[in-house]
Coordinates of all heavy atoms in Angstrom, one line a residue:
M24 N -30.6 0.5 -25.0 CA -29.9 1.6 -24.3 C -30.8 2.7 -24.1 O -31.6 3.2 -25.0 CB -28.6 2.0 -25.1 CG -27.9 3.0 -24.4 SD -26.5 3.7 -25.2 CE -25.6 2.6 -26.0
V25 N -30.8 3.3 -22.9 CA -31.6 4.4 -22.5 C -30.8 5.7 -22.7 O -29.7 5.8 -22.3 CB -32.1 4.3 -21.1 CG1 -32.9 5.5 -20.7 CG2 -32.8 3.0 -20.9
R26 N -31.4 6.7 -23.3 CA -30.7 8.0 -23.5 C -31.4 9.0 -22.6 O -32.6 9.0 -22.4 CB -30.8 8.4 -25.0 CG -30.0 7.5 -25.8 CD -30.0 8.0 -27.2 NE -29.4 7.1 -28.1 CZ -28.7 7.4 -29.2 NH1 -28.8 8.7 -29.6 NH2 -28.1 6.5 -29.8
C27 N -30.5 9.9 -22.0 CA -31.0 11.0 -21.1 C -30.8 12.2 -21.9 O -29.8 12.5 -22.5 CB -30.3 10.9 -19.8 SG -30.6 9.6 -18.7
S28 N -31.7 13.1 -21.7 CA -31.7 14.4 -22.2 C -30.9 15.3 -21.2 O -31.1 15.2 -20.2 CB -33.0 14.9 -22.6 OG -33.0 16.3 -22.9
K29 N -30.0 16.2 -21.8 CA -29.3 17.1 -20.9 C -30.3 18.1 -20.3 O -30.0 18.6 -19.2 CB -28.2 17.7 -21.6 CG -27.1 16.8 -22.0 CD -26.0 17.5 -22.6 CE -24.8 16.5 -23.0 NZ -23.7 17.1 -23.5
D30 N -31.3 18.4 -21.0 CA -32.2 19.4 -20.5 C -33.3 18.7 -19.6 O -34.1 17.9 -20.2 CB -32.9 20.2 -21.5 CG -33.8 21.2 -21.0 OD1 -33.7 21.6 -19.9 OD2 -34.7 21.8 -21.8
L31 N -33.3 18.8 -18.3 CA -34.3 18.1 -17.5 C -35.5 18.9 -17.2 O -36.2 18.9 -16.1 CB -33.7 17.6 -16.2 CG -32.4 16.7 -16.3 CD1 -31.8 16.4 -15.0 CD2 -33.0 15.4 -17.1
G32 N -35.9 19.9 -17.9 CA -37.0 20.8 -17.8 C -36.8 22.1 -17.0 O -37.6 22.7 -16.6
G33 N -35.5 22.4 -16.7 CA -35.3 23.7 -16.1 C -35.4 23.7 -14.5 O -35.6 24.6 -13.9
D34 N -35.4 22.4 -13.9 CA -35.6 22.4 -12.5 C -34.3 22.3 -11.7 O -34.3 22.1 -10.5 CB -36.4 21.2 -12.1 CG -37.9 21.2 -12.6 OD1 -38.3 22.3 -12.9 OD2 -38.5 20.2 -12.8
G35 N -33.2 22.6 -12.3 CA -31.9 22.3 -11.7 C -31.6 23.3 -10.6 O -30.9 23.0 -9.7
G36 N -32.1 24.4 -10.6 CA -31.8 25.5 -9.5 C -32.7 25.6 -8.4 O -32.6 26.4 -7.5
Q37 N -33.6 24.6 -8.2 CA -34.6 24.7 -7.2 C -34.2 24.2 -5.8 O -34.7 24.5 -4.7 CB -35.8 24.0 -7.5 CG -36.6 24.6 -8.6 CD -37.9 23.9 -8.9 OE1 -38.2 22.9 -8.3 NE2 -38.7 24.5 -9.8
V38 N -33.1 23.5 -5.9 CA -32.4 22.9 -4.6 C -31.8 23.9 -3.8 O -31.8 23.9 -2.6 CB -31.5 21.8 -5.0 CG1 -30.7 21.3 -3.7 CG2 -32.2 20.6 -5.6
V39 N -31.2 24.9 -4.3 CA -30.5 25.9 -3.6 C -31.3 26.8 -2.6 O -31.1 26.9 -1.5 CB -29.6 26.8 -4.6 CG1 -29.0 28.0 -3.8 CG2 -28.6 26.1 -5.3
P40 N -32.5 27.2 -3.2 CA -33.4 28.0 -2.3 C -34.0 27.1 -1.2 O -34.1 27.5 -0.1 CB -34.5 28.5 -3.2 CG -34.0 28.5 -4.5 CD -33.0 27.4 -4.5
L41 N -34.2 25.9 -1.5 CA -34.7 24.9 -0.5 C -33.8 24.7 0.5 O -34.0 24.6 1.8 CB -35.2 23.7 -1.2 CG -35.9 22.6 -0.2 CD1 -37.1 23.1 0.4 CD2 -36.1 21.3 -1.1
M42 N -32.5 24.5 0.1 CA -31.4 24.2 1.2 C -31.3 25.5 2.1 O -31.0 25.4 3.2 CB -30.1 23.7 0.5 CG -30.2 22.3 -0.1 SD -30.7 21.1 1.2 CE -29.2 21.2 2.3
A43 N -31.3 26.6 1.4 CA -31.1 27.8 2.2 C -32.2 27.9 3.3 O -31.9 28.3 4.4 CB -31.2 29.1 1.3
L44 N -33.5 27.6 2.9 CA -34.6 27.7 3.9 C -34.4 26.7 5.0 O -34.5 26.9 6.2 CB -35.9 27.3 3.1 CG -37.1 27.4 4.0 CD1 -37.3 28.8 4.6 CD2 -38.3 26.9 3.3
V45 N -33.9 25.5 4.6 CA -33.6 24.4 5.7 C -32.6 24.9 6.6 O -32.6 24.7 7.9 CB -33.3 23.1 5.0 CG1 -32.7 22.1 6.0 CG2 -34.4 22.5 4.3
V46 N -31.4 25.5 6.1 CA -30.4 26.0 6.9 C -30.9 27.1 7.9 O -30.5 27.1 9.0 CB -29.1 26.4 6.1 CG1 -28.1 27.3 6.9 CG2 -28.6 25.3 5.4
I47 N -31.7 28.0 7.4 CA -32.2 29.1 8.1 C -33.0 28.5 9.3 O -32.9 28.9 10.5 CB -33.0 30.1 7.3 CG1 -32.0 30.9 6.4 CG2 -33.8 31.1 8.2 CD1 -32.7 31.7 5.4
V48 N -34.0 27.6 9.0 CA -34.8 27.0 10.0 C -33.9 26.3 11.1 O -34.2 26.4 12.3 CB -35.8 26.0 9.4 CG1 -36.6 25.3 10.6 CG2 -36.8 26.8 8.6
A49 N -32.9 25.6 10.6 CA -32.0 24.9 11.6 C -31.3 25.8 12.5 O -31.1 25.6 13.6 CB -31.0 24.0 10.9
V50 N -30.8 26.9 12.0 CA -30.1 28.0 12.8 C -31.1 28.6 13.8 O -30.7 28.6 15.0 CB -29.4 28.9 11.9 CG1 -29.0 30.2 12.7 CG2 -28.3 28.4 11.1
V51 N -32.2 28.9 13.4 CA -33.2 29.5 14.3 C -33.6 28.5 15.4 O -33.6 28.8 16.6 CB -34.5 29.9 13.6 CG1 -35.6 30.3 14.6 CG2 -34.1 31.2 12.7
A52 N -33.7 27.2 15.1 CA -34.0 26.2 16.1 C -32.8 26.0 17.1 O -33.1 25.9 18.3 CB -34.3 24.8 15.4
M53 N -31.6 26.0 16.6 CA -30.4 25.9 17.5 C -30.4 27.1 18.4 O -30.1 27.0 19.6 CB -29.1 25.8 16.7 CG -29.0 24.5 15.9 SD -27.5 24.2 15.1 CE -26.6 25.7 15.0
L54 N -30.7 28.4 17.9 CA -30.6 29.5 18.7 C -31.7 29.4 19.8 O -31.4 29.8 21.0 CB -30.8 30.8 18.0 CG -29.7 31.2 17.0 CD1 -30.0 32.3 16.2 CD2 -28.4 31.5 17.8
L55 N -32.9 29.0 19.6 CA -33.9 28.8 20.6 C -33.6 27.7 21.6 O -33.8 28.0 22.8 CB -35.2 28.4 19.9 CG -35.9 29.5 19.1 CD1 -37.2 29.0 18.3 CD2 -36.4 30.7 20.0
V56 N -33.0 26.6 21.2 CA -32.6 25.7 22.2 C -31.5 26.1 23.1 O -31.4 25.9 24.2 CB -32.1 24.4 21.3 CG1 -31.3 23.4 22.3 CG2 -33.3 23.7 20.7
A57 N -30.5 26.9 22.4 CA -29.5 27.5 23.3 C -30.0 28.5 24.4 O -29.6 28.5 25.5 CB -28.5 28.2 22.4
R58 N -31.0 29.3 23.9 CA -31.5 30.2 24.9 C -32.3 29.5 26.0 O -32.3 30.0 27.2 CB -32.5 31.2 24.1 CG -33.2 32.2 24.9 CD -32.2 33.1 25.5 NE -32.8 34.1 26.5 CZ -32.3 34.6 27.6 NH1 -31.0 34.1 27.9 NH2 -32.9 35.3 28.4
V59 N -33.1 28.6 25.6 CA -33.8 27.8 26.7 C -32.8 27.2 27.6 O -33.1 27.1 28.9 CB -34.7 26.7 26.1 CG1 -35.3 25.7 27.0 CG2 -35.9 27.3 25.3
G60 N -31.8 26.5 27.2 CA -30.8 25.9 28.0 C -30.1 26.9 28.9 O -29.8 26.7 30.1
A61 N -29.8 28.2 28.4 CA -29.2 29.2 29.2 C -30.1 29.7 30.3 O -29.7 29.9 31.5 CB -28.7 30.4 28.4
T62 N -31.4 29.8 30.0 CA -32.3 30.3 31.0 C -32.4 29.1 32.1 O -32.6 29.4 33.3 CB -33.7 30.4 30.3 OG1 -33.5 31.5 29.3 CG2 -34.7 30.9 31.4
A63 N -32.6 27.9 31.7 CA -32.6 26.8 32.6 C -31.4 26.7 33.6 O -31.5 26.6 34.9 CB -32.8 25.5 32.0
A64 N -30.2 27.0 33.0 CA -29.0 27.0 33.9 C -29.0 28.1 34.7 O -28.6 28.1 35.9 CB -27.8 27.1 33.0
E65 N -29.5 29.3 34.3 CA -29.6 30.5 35.2 C -30.5 30.3 36.3 O -30.3 30.7 37.4 CB -30.0 31.7 34.3 CG -29.9 33.1 35.0 CD -30.2 34.1 34.0 OE1 -31.4 34.4 33.8 OE2 -29.3 34.7 33.6
R66 N -31.6 29.7 36.0 CA -32.6 29.4 37.2 C -32.0 28.5 38.2 O -32.3 28.5 39.3 CB -33.9 28.8 36.5 CG -34.7 29.9 35.9 CD -36.0 29.3 35.3 NE -36.8 30.3 34.5 CZ -37.8 30.0 33.8 NH1 -38.2 28.7 33.6 NH2 -38.4 30.9 33.2
A67 N -31.3 27.4 37.7 CA -30.6 26.5 38.6 C -29.6 27.2 39.5 O -29.5 26.9 40.6 CB -30.0 25.3 37.8
R68 N -28.8 28.0 38.9 CA -27.9 28.8 39.7 C -28.6 29.7 40.7 O -28.1 29.8 41.9 CB -27.0 29.7 38.8 CG -25.9 28.9 38.1 CD -24.9 29.8 37.5 NE -25.2 31.1 36.8 CZ -25.6 31.1 35.5 NH1 -25.5 30.1 34.7 NH2 -26.0 32.2 35.0
A69 N -29.7 30.4 40.3 CA -30.4 31.2 41.4 C -30.9 30.2 42.5 O -30.8 30.7 43.6 CB -31.6 31.8 40.6
R70 N -31.5 29.1 42.2 CA -32.0 28.2 43.3 C -30.9 27.8 44.2 O -31.0 27.7 45.4 CB -32.7 27.0 42.6 CG -34.0 27.3 42.1 CD -34.8 26.0 41.8 NE -34.1 25.2 40.9 CZ -34.2 25.1 39.5 NH1 -35.0 26.0 39.0 NH2 -33.5 24.3 38.7
N71 N -29.7 27.4 43.6 CA -28.6 27.0 44.4 C -28.1 28.1 45.3 O -27.7 27.9 46.5 CB -27.5 26.5 43.5 CG -27.7 25.1 42.9 OD1 -28.6 24.3 43.4 ND2 -27.2 24.8 41.9
A72 N -28.0 29.3 44.8 CA -27.5 30.5 45.5 C -28.5 30.8 46.7 O -28.1 31.1 47.7 CB -27.3 31.7 44.6
A73 N -29.9 30.6 46.4 CA -30.8 30.9 47.4 C -30.7 30.0 48.5 O -30.7 30.3 49.7 CB -32.2 31.0 46.8
D74 N -30.5 28.6 48.2 CA -30.4 27.6 49.2 C -29.2 27.9 50.1 O -29.2 27.8 51.3 CB -30.3 26.2 48.6 CG -31.6 25.8 48.0 OD1 -32.7 26.4 48.3 OD2 -31.6 24.9 47.2
A75 N -28.2 28.1 49.4 CA -26.8 28.4 50.1 C -27.0 29.7 51.0 O -26.5 29.6 52.2 CB -25.7 28.5 49.1
A76 N -27.5 30.7 50.5 CA -27.7 32.0 51.3 C -28.5 31.8 52.5 O -28.3 32.3 53.6 CB -28.1 33.0 50.4
A77 N -29.6 31.0 52.3 CA -30.6 30.7 53.4 C -29.8 29.9 54.6 O -30.0 30.3 55.7 CB -31.8 30.1 53.0
L78 N -29.1 28.9 54.2 CA -28.3 28.2 55.1 C -27.2 29.0 55.9 O -27.1 28.9 57.0 CB -27.7 26.9 54.5 CG -28.7 25.8 54.1 CD1 -27.9 24.8 53.3 CD2 -29.4 25.2 55.2
A79 N -26.5 29.9 55.1 CA -25.6 30.7 55.7 C -26.2 31.7 56.6 O -25.7 32.0 57.7 CB -24.8 31.4 54.6
G80 N -27.4 32.2 56.3 CA -28.1 33.2 57.0 C -28.6 32.6 58.3 O -28.6 33.2 59.4
V81 N -29.1 31.3 58.4 CA -29.7 30.7 59.5 C -28.6 30.3 60.5 O -28.8 30.4 61.7 CB -30.6 29.5 59.2 CG1 -29.8 28.3 58.9 CG2 -31.6 29.3 60.3
T82 N -27.4 30.0 60.0 CA -26.2 29.7 60.9 C -25.4 30.9 61.2 O -24.6 30.9 62.2 CB -25.3 28.6 60.3 OG1 -24.8 29.0 59.1 CG2 -26.2 27.3 60.1
G83 N -25.5 32.0 60.4 CA -24.7 33.1 60.7 C -25.5 34.4 60.7 O -26.5 34.4 61.5
S84 N -25.2 35.4 59.9 CA -25.8 36.6 59.8 C -26.2 36.9 58.4 O -26.0 36.3 57.5 CB -24.9 37.8 60.4 OG -23.7 37.9 59.4
E85 N -26.9 38.2 58.2 CA -27.2 38.6 57.0 C -26.0 38.9 56.0 O -26.0 38.5 54.8 CB -28.1 39.8 57.0 CG -28.5 40.4 55.7 CD -29.4 41.6 55.7 OE1 -29.9 41.9 56.8 OE2 -29.7 42.2 54.7
T86 N -25.0 39.4 56.7 CA -23.7 39.6 56.0 C -23.2 38.2 55.5 O -22.7 38.1 54.3 CB -22.7 40.2 56.9 OG1 -23.2 41.4 57.4 CG2 -21.4 40.4 56.2
D87 N -23.3 37.2 56.2 CA -22.8 35.8 55.8 C -23.7 35.4 54.5 O -23.1 34.8 53.5 CB -22.9 34.8 56.8 CG -21.9 35.1 58.0 OD1 -20.9 35.7 57.8 OD2 -22.3 34.7 59.2
A88 N -25.0 35.5 54.6 CA -25.9 35.2 53.5 C -25.5 35.9 52.2 O -25.5 35.4 51.2 CB -27.3 35.4 53.9
R89 N -25.3 37.3 52.4 CA -24.9 38.1 51.3 C -23.7 37.7 50.6 O -23.6 37.6 49.4 CB -24.9 39.5 51.7 CG -24.7 40.5 50.5 CD -24.9 42.0 51.0 NE -26.0 42.3 51.8 CZ -27.2 42.4 51.3 NH1 -27.4 42.4 50.0 NH2 -28.3 42.7 52.1
G90 N -22.7 37.4 51.5 CA -21.4 36.9 50.9 C -21.5 35.6 50.2 O -20.9 35.4 49.1
V91 N -22.3 34.6 50.8 CA -22.4 33.4 50.1 C -23.1 33.5 48.8 O -22.9 32.9 47.7 CB -23.3 32.4 51.0 CG1 -23.6 31.1 50.2 CG2 -22.3 31.9 52.1
A92 N -24.2 34.4 48.8 CA -25.0 34.7 47.5 C -24.1 35.2 46.5 O -24.1 34.8 45.3 CB -26.1 35.6 47.8
E93 N -23.2 36.2 46.9 CA -22.4 36.8 45.9 C -21.3 35.8 45.4 O -20.9 35.8 44.2 CB -21.7 38.0 46.5 CG -22.6 39.2 46.7 CD -22.1 40.4 47.4 OE1 -20.9 40.4 47.8 OE2 -22.8 41.3 47.6
A94 N -20.8 34.9 46.2 CA -19.9 33.9 45.9 C -20.4 33.0 44.9 O -19.8 32.3 44.1 CB -19.4 33.1 47.1
N95 N -21.8 32.9 44.9 CA -22.5 32.0 43.8 C -23.0 32.8 42.7 O -23.8 32.3 41.9 CB -23.6 31.2 44.6 CG -23.2 30.1 45.5 OD1 -22.8 29.1 44.9 ND2 -23.1 30.3 46.7
G96 N -22.5 34.0 42.6 CA -23.0 34.8 41.4 C -24.3 35.5 41.5 O -25.0 35.8 40.5
A97 N -24.8 35.6 42.8 CA -26.2 36.2 42.9 C -26.1 37.4 43.8 O -25.1 37.7 44.4 CB -27.1 35.1 43.5
Q98 N -27.2 38.1 43.7 CA -27.5 39.3 44.6 C -28.6 39.0 45.5 O -29.6 38.5 45.2 CB -27.8 40.6 43.8 CG -26.7 41.1 42.9 CD -27.2 42.3 42.2 OE1 -28.3 42.4 41.8 NE2 -26.2 43.3 42.2
L99 N -28.3 39.2 46.8 CA -29.2 39.1 47.9 C -30.2 40.2 47.8 O -29.8 41.3 48.0 CB -28.6 38.9 49.2 CG -29.5 38.6 50.4 CD1 -30.1 37.2 50.2 CD2 -28.8 38.7 51.7
E100 N -31.5 40.0 47.5 CA -32.5 40.9 47.4 C -33.3 41.1 48.7 O -33.8 42.2 49.0 CB -33.4 40.9 46.2 CG -32.7 40.9 44.9 CD -33.6 40.9 43.7 OE1 -34.7 40.3 43.8 OE2 -33.2 41.5 42.7
R101 N -33.5 40.2 49.4 CA -34.3 40.2 50.6 C -33.8 39.1 51.7 O -33.4 38.0 51.3 CB -35.8 39.8 50.4 CG -36.7 40.0 51.4 CD -38.2 39.8 51.1 NE -38.4 38.3 50.8 CZ -39.0 37.5 51.7 NH1 -39.2 37.9 52.9 NH2 -39.1 36.2 51.4
F102 N -33.7 39.6 52.9 CA -33.3 38.7 54.0 C -34.2 39.0 55.2 O -34.3 40.0 55.7 CB -31.8 39.0 54.4 CG -31.3 38.1 55.5 CD1 -30.7 37.0 55.2 CD2 -31.5 38.6 56.9 CE1 -30.2 36.2 56.3 CE2 -31.1 37.7 57.9 CZ -30.4 36.6 57.6
V103 N -34.9 37.9 55.6 CA -35.8 38.1 56.7 C -35.5 36.9 57.8 O -35.5 35.8 57.3 CB -37.3 38.0 56.3 CG1 -38.3 38.1 57.4 CG2 -37.7 39.1 55.3
R104 N -35.3 37.3 59.0 CA -35.1 36.3 60.0 C -36.1 36.5 61.1 O -36.3 37.7 61.7 CB -33.8 36.5 60.7 CG -33.5 35.4 61.7 CD -32.2 35.8 62.6 NE -31.1 36.0 61.8 CZ -30.1 35.1 61.7 NH1 -30.1 34.0 62.2 NH2 -29.1 35.5 61.0
V105 N -36.9 35.5 61.4 CA -37.9 35.5 62.5 C -37.9 34.2 63.2 O -38.2 33.2 62.6 CB -39.4 35.7 61.8 CG1 -40.4 35.8 62.9 CG2 -39.4 37.0 60.9
D106 N -37.7 34.3 64.5 CA -37.6 33.1 65.4 C -36.9 31.9 64.9 O -37.5 30.8 64.8 CB -39.0 32.7 65.6 CG -39.9 33.7 66.5 OD1 -39.2 34.4 67.2 OD2 -41.1 33.8 66.3
G107 N -35.7 32.1 64.4 CA -34.8 31.0 63.8 C -35.1 30.5 62.4 O -34.7 29.6 62.0
V108 N -36.0 31.2 61.7 CA -36.4 31.0 60.4 C -35.9 32.1 59.5 O -36.2 33.2 59.7 CB -37.9 30.8 60.2 CG1 -38.3 30.5 58.7 CG2 -38.5 29.6 61.1
V109 N -35.1 31.7 58.4 CA -34.6 32.7 57.5 C -35.1 32.4 56.2 O -35.2 31.3 55.7 CB -33.1 32.6 57.5 CG1 -32.5 33.5 56.4 CG2 -32.4 32.9 58.8
E110 N -35.7 33.5 55.6 CA -36.2 33.5 54.2 C -35.3 34.5 53.4 O -35.0 35.7 53.8 CB -37.6 33.9 54.1 CG -38.5 32.9 54.7 CD -40.0 33.3 54.6 OE1 -40.2 34.3 54.0 OE2 -40.8 32.5 55.1
V111 N -34.8 34.1 52.2 CA -34.0 34.9 51.3 C -34.6 34.8 49.9 O -35.2 33.9 49.6 CB -32.5 34.5 51.4 CG1 -31.9 34.6 52.6 CG2 -32.4 33.1 50.8
D112 N -34.4 36.0 49.3 CA -34.7 36.1 47.8 C -33.4 36.5 47.1 O -32.7 37.4 47.7 CB -35.7 37.1 47.4 CG -37.2 36.7 47.9 OD1 -37.4 35.5 48.2 OD2 -38.0 37.5 48.2
V113 N -33.0 35.8 46.2 CA -31.8 36.2 45.3 C -32.1 36.4 43.8 O -33.1 35.9 43.3 CB -30.7 35.2 45.5 CG1 -30.3 35.0 47.0 CG2 -31.0 33.8 44.9
R114 N -31.2 37.0 43.1 CA -31.4 37.3 41.7 C -30.1 36.8 41.0 O -29.0 37.4 41.5 CB -31.8 38.7 41.4 CG -32.0 38.9 39.9 CD -32.5 40.3 39.6 NE -31.9 41.3 40.4 CZ -30.8 42.0 40.0 NH1 -30.2 41.7 38.8 NH2 -30.3 43.0 40.7
V115 N -30.2 36.1 40.0 CA -29.0 35.8 39.2 C -29.4 36.2 37.7 O -30.4 35.5 37.1 CB -28.7 34.3 39.2 CG1 -27.6 34.1 38.1 CG2 -28.3 33.9 40.6
G116 N -28.8 37.2 37.2 CA -29.3 37.8 35.9 C -30.8 38.1 35.9 O -31.2 38.9 36.8
G117 N -31.6 37.5 35.1 CA -33.0 37.8 35.1 C -33.8 36.8 35.9 O -35.0 36.9 35.9
S118 N -33.2 35.8 36.6 CA -33.9 34.8 37.3 C -33.9 35.1 38.7 O -32.8 35.5 39.3 CB -33.2 33.5 37.1 OG -33.4 33.1 35.7
R119 N -34.9 34.8 39.4 CA -35.0 35.0 40.9 C -35.4 33.6 41.6 O -36.1 32.9 40.9 CB -36.2 36.0 41.2 CG -35.8 37.5 40.6 CD -37.0 38.3 40.8 NE -36.8 39.6 40.1 CZ -36.3 40.7 40.5 NH1 -35.8 40.7 41.8 NH2 -36.1 41.8 39.8
A120 N -35.0 33.6 42.7 CA -35.3 32.3 43.5 C -35.4 32.8 45.1 O -34.8 33.7 45.5 CB -34.2 31.3 43.4
S121 N -36.3 31.9 45.7 CA -36.4 32.1 47.1 C -36.1 30.8 47.9 O -36.2 29.7 47.3 CB -37.8 32.5 47.5 OG -38.2 33.6 46.9
A122 N -35.6 30.9 49.1 CA -35.4 29.8 49.9 C -35.7 30.0 51.3 O -35.6 31.3 51.8 CB -34.0 29.4 49.8
R123 N -35.9 29.1 52.1 CA -36.1 29.2 53.6 C -35.4 28.2 54.3 O -35.3 26.9 53.8 CB -37.7 29.0 53.7 CG -38.1 29.0 55.1 CD -39.6 28.6 55.1 NE -40.2 29.3 56.2 CZ -41.4 29.2 56.6 NH1 -42.2 28.3 56.0 NH2 -41.9 29.9 57.6
A124 N -34.7 28.5 55.3 CA -34.0 27.7 56.2 C -34.5 27.8 57.7 O -34.8 28.9 58.1 CB -32.5 27.9 56.1
V125 N -34.5 26.7 58.3 CA -34.9 26.7 59.8 C -33.8 26.2 60.6 O -33.2 25.1 60.4 CB -36.2 25.7 60.0 CG1 -36.6 25.7 61.4 CG2 -37.3 26.2 59.1
R126 N -33.5 26.9 61.6 CA -32.3 26.5 62.6 C -32.8 25.4 63.4 O -33.9 25.3 64.0 CB -32.0 27.7 63.5 CG -30.8 27.4 64.3 CD -30.3 28.7 65.0 NE -29.1 28.5 65.6 CZ -27.8 28.5 65.0 NH1 -27.7 28.7 63.8 NH2 -26.8 28.3 65.8
A127 N -32.0 24.3 63.4 CA -32.2 23.1 64.2 C -32.2 23.5 65.7 O -31.4 24.2 66.2 CB -31.1 22.1 63.8
R128 N -33.1 22.9 66.4 CA -33.1 23.2 67.9 C -32.5 22.1 68.7 O -32.3 21.1 68.4 CB -34.6 23.3 68.3 CG -35.2 24.6 67.6 CD -36.6 24.7 68.0 NE -37.2 25.7 67.1 CZ -37.8 26.8 67.6 NH1 -38.0 26.9 68.7 NH2 -38.3 27.7 66.7

């Protein structure tokens, strides 16, 4: 029969600090992943809003482009129309996007 001593050398409390460190690292990693995901989504919204605003601008007016940008949660920062070509810049939060549309002839 094997007998175990109740005193295992005083190492019983070392798991708690180690687990606390693992939890802290996991929380920080989750926050970073969430931030990267939010930034990617914001950039995608900016690109979509820019595309839609450029198309609205080439078929309509700057007012139409601004309305479409705002409907997509963006602000129209620049609108340029030259010879049937429209270029727009929009901003969604901290992300910016540009788009260009050409009127079909």
Side-chain angles (χ1 to χ4, degrees):
M24 184 185 315
V25 178
R26 292 186 184 210
C27 291
S28 170
K29 289 186 180 184
D30 183 19
L31 298 176
D34 294 336
Q37 291 183 2
V38 172
V39 173
L41 181 61
M42 287 305 295
L44 180 63
V45 168
V46 168
I47 289 170
V48 169
V50 167
V51 169
M53 287 183 350
L54 291 174
L55 288 174
V56 167
R58 181 62 185 146
V59 168
T62 300
E65 189 175 82
R66 287 180 182 167
R68 283 196 317 269
R70 284 191 306 267
N71 289 338
D74 289 343
L78 289 172
V81 80
T82 59
S84 66
E85 181 176 353
T86 303
D87 296 329
R89 187 173 307 281
V91 168
E93 289 174 359
N95 282 284
Q98 288 185 321
L99 184 66
E100 294 189 330
R101 185 176 73 94
F102 179 93
V103 176
R104 180 194 310 258
V105 177
D106 296 329
V108 177
V109 170
E110 292 182 2
V111 298
D112 291 338
V113 301
R114 181 172 46 86
V115 175
S118 297
R119 297 174 191 269
S121 300
R123 178 182 212 190
V125 179
R126 184 164 186 88
R128 293 179 188 231

